[in-house]
Amino acid sequence: MIEKTLEYIASNFQEPISLKILAKQANYSSFHFQRVFKSKTGETPKEYITRLRVQKASRELLLFPKKNIYSITIDCGFNSQSDFARTFKKFTGKSPTDFRNCEIEKTELQISELKQCIETKYCPSFNLVGNIINLSDESKIIQSFKELITWAMARELLQKDFMAYGVFLDSPYLTTLKKCRYYTAIKSYDGNDYEDKSSLRIERGKFASMEVKSSIPEMIDQSLFLKKSWTPQNGFSIKENALGFEFFPTIDLNKPYCLQQRIVHLPIQPK
């Protein structure tokens, strides 16, 4: 039931959400719902929703530098600009304006010499089946893939030349890895839902892609280079409310995540 509530929050956190509404979604009393929710997520419903709002705001600040603070305030579900500024500073230690200026400058310095081969490609829609994990450490990613592949082989769901996919369900740029959700997956060809696995659909569209072999923090900087520098220079913008992903052409379950060749795909559209 909590999983359905998390899906509801993910789709509606920009709007006012009361504890009563969430408890009803899970068929619990408000008191019991709060206890179950915190035991599952490590946060109260209010803390969880606030983090998602700040996470979205940080993304807006970095990806859309010309978007004014008031618009970001409203679009991310905050009551007022003062409420947004106070909450944002509590999470990041900076005002929204300072965060935008400082983080962009820092990222540009870090990746000023980054010379990656970035391509644009069209990807058709496809379905995934897999596990959702929390990234308290990177080793959990490979562990999760090992479990998923064993599960798929037992059900004869694994294609001969299968590819592994990963999706960051929360922004690792702002969200601590301990709370960041990551989706380890393989393609689903039968269209079935499995009670013990999560399903996800990547919608068709154009993507900017680049090859990486790095830790999560390094990958974040490389992705920000793609988002902040390459896309506007080439007439594109990041497509909002669309999922990006990374795939592992040949995953080696004996190697750590940081040594795996991956191709990061970010959804783009013409400016």
Side-chain angles (χ1 to χ4, degrees):
M1 288 299 181
I2 291 298
E3 285 71 22
K4 289 185 178 180
T5 305
L6 294 178
E7 291 177 4
Y8 176 83
I9 292 173
S11 300
N12 297 277
F13 69 85
Q14 299 97 326
E15 306 297 329
I17 302 179
S18 68
L19 179 62
K20 185 177 180 180
I21 289 175
L22 295 179
K24 186 177 180 180
Q25 288 282 328
N27 292 321
Y28 290 138
S29 67
S30 295
F31 176 76
H32 186 55
F33 171 75
Q34 284 208 92
R35 294 183 61 185
V36 173
F37 189 94
K38 187 163 187 178
S39 70
K40 292 287 186 180
T41 66
E43 298 172 285
T44 66
K46 182 178 180 180
E47 290 170 341
Y48 185 86
I49 292 169
T50 300
R51 178 170 61 80
L52 290 186
R53 288 171 175 168
V54 172
Q55 178 178 306
K56 178 176 172 60
S58 69
R59 181 176 182 273
E60 297 276 308
L61 288 165
L62 292 174
L63 298 185
F64 308 102
K66 294 183 179 180
K67 190 170 183 177
N68 64 60
I69 301 297
Y70 178 75
S71 295
I72 293 175
T73 298
I74 301 303
D75 290 348
C76 295
F78 291 95
N79 294 324
S80 66
Q81 201 163 321
S82 60
D83 175 44
F84 170 48
R86 181 171 57 254
T87 304
F88 193 87
K89 189 168 185 177
K90 181 179 178 181
F91 272 76
T92 68
K94 297 182 179 73
S95 70
T97 301
D98 288 345
F99 177 87
R100 171 184 268 168
N101 295 336
C102 182
E103 294 304 308
I104 289 176
E105 181 181 354
K106 182 178 72 174
T107 301
E108 288 176 346
L109 286 171
Q110 289 175 336
I111 51 80
S112 61
E113 296 182 358
L114 181 62
K115 302 296 182 182
Q116 291 282 357
C117 181
I118 299 173
E119 301 177 346
T120 60
K121 59 179 68 176
Y122 174 84
C123 294
S125 300
F126 58 92
N127 297 313
L128 297 171
V129 60
N131 301 318
I132 297 176
I133 61 173
N134 286 324
L135 294 177
S136 55
D137 64 75
E138 286 186 5
S139 66
K140 284 192 172 185
I141 296 176
I142 301 303
Q143 290 172 8
S144 181
F145 274 122
K146 287 179 180 178
E147 186 277 327
L148 175 62
I149 290 169
T150 300
W151 174 88
M153 289 178 65
R155 291 160 179 78
E156 298 183 349
L157 298 176
L158 209 61
Q159 300 289 318
K160 182 179 179 181
D161 298 319
F162 81 97
M163 287 186 292
Y165 290 79
V167 181
F168 284 91
L169 300 178
D170 298 300
S171 169
Y173 193 77
L174 179 67
T175 306
T176 61
L177 293 185
K178 189 176 181 180
K179 295 179 179 179
C180 188
R181 294 171 301 147
Y182 183 86
Y183 184 64
T184 57
I186 58 173
K187 272 189 179 179
S188 173
Y189 295 96
D190 59 13
N192 294 332
D193 289 326
Y194 298 91
E195 290 186 2
D196 55 341
K197 298 297 171 192
S198 297
S199 299
L200 190 67
R201 182 173 176 81
I202 302 294
E203 297 296 341
R204 66 183 181 182
K206 181 170 284 189
F207 293 82
S209 68
M210 66 178 178
E211 185 176 319
V212 300
K213 186 188 284 187
S214 57
S215 65
I216 291 176
E218 292 171 318
M219 184 272 294
I220 293 168
D221 285 342
Q222 293 165 337
S223 297
L224 280 173
F225 164 74
L226 194 157
K227 293 175 181 178
K228 292 302 304 170
S229 298
W230 185 89
T231 50
Q233 290 172 8
N234 289 273
F236 296 104
S237 63
I238 297 298
K239 188 175 182 180
E240 294 191 72
N241 302 317
L243 286 173
F245 62 93
E246 58 180 358
F247 81 83
F248 304 64
T250 53
I251 190 168
D252 185 339
L253 299 177
N254 295 312
K255 288 184 179 180
Y257 172 81
C258 63
L259 296 181
Q260 302 283 348
Q261 178 192 9
R262 289 120 50 210
I263 301 179
V264 173
H265 289 66
L266 296 179
I268 56 174
Q269 61 187 3
K271 287 174 65 176

